[in-house]
Amino acid sequence: MQKWYLAHCRPREEERALQNLSNQDIEAFYPYAEVKKLYRRKMVTRIEALFPGYIFVRADLAITSSSTIGSTRGVRNLIRFGGGPCEVPDEVVYDLMCNCDSDALREQLTDLPRCGDRVRIEEGPFAGLEAVYQEADGDTRAILLLTLLQNATPTSFANDEFSRIPKT
């Protein structure tokens, strides 16, 4: 009977492991999400692993031995607890498959503020002041709503000049 197991991969070789497992007709799943992050003052969209270094493998260990999976290029070994490989409940893997690239998950993983989030200005003449994030202004800048003399003024700042204040 086929069950889901967790496999530990070699560093940054999850894609290679998926391909090599697929070549052996072994089903594998690599949960990821597309997120927006700041990279060198620009907003970039990247694909990031939900569990870096791990993939889920579906196999019948009575037919396919765990050493076959462990010796696949890109795979380090199956995660074990006690004497045998750790089984992952089907529901957990199927939930991850359904929600893996969802908008809600993407918002949780992104480090960029959303409209209405409070930010703290870190650099420049307004350093230390708080503002409200309004929108992106191209790839390298953003519009912040800054309150000066009891008047809210939209002002453009470079993306690396402010940071989001965590919600409490």
Side-chain angles (χ1 to χ4, degrees), residues 8 16 26 50 67 75-76 83 86 91-92 110 114 167:
H8 186 222
R16 173 186 249 181
I26 298 172
L50 291 181
S67 62
V75 176
R76 192 170 268 164
C86 174
E91 299 81 26
V92 172
T110 187
R114 291 183 294 272
K167 294 180 182 177

Side-chain angles (χ1 to χ4, degrees), residues 99-168:
N99 298 315
C100 170
D101 200 24
S102 69
D103 292 335
L105 182 62
R106 198 175 294 124
E107 283 183 16
Q108 286 177 355
L109 295 175
T110 187
D111 64 352
L112 297 176
R114 291 183 294 272
C115 182
D117 283 354
R118 304 225 21 104
V119 296
R120 178 172 287 112
I121 300 169
E122 305 289 343
E123 296 179 17
F126 300 111
L129 294 178
E130 291 185 7
V132 177
Y133 184 87
Q134 291 296 299
E135 63 184 346
D137 185 21
D139 285 339
T140 60
R141 301 188 68 79
I143 304 286
L144 304 181
L145 195 57
L146 187 62
T147 303
L148 297 171
L149 300 172
Q150 298 179 350
N151 188 18
T153 307
T155 311
S156 181
F157 287 89
N159 285 334
D160 61 351
E161 291 180 351
F162 62 90
S163 61
R164 184 171 62 173
I165 299 173
K167 294 180 182 177
T168 55

Side-chain angles (χ1 to χ4, degrees), residues 14-15 18 28-35 46-52 54-56 96-103 105-106 109:
E14 296 92 353
E15 296 289 336
L18 281 176
F29 172 59
Y30 174 52
Y32 65 89
E34 195 176 272
V35 295
R46 290 186 173 177
I47 294 176
E48 289 192 0
L50 291 181
F51 309 107
Y54 296 92
I55 61 173
F56 295 96
L96 282 170
M97 285 179 173
C98 291
N99 298 315
C100 170
D101 200 24
S102 69
D103 292 335
L105 182 62
R106 198 175 294 124
L109 295 175

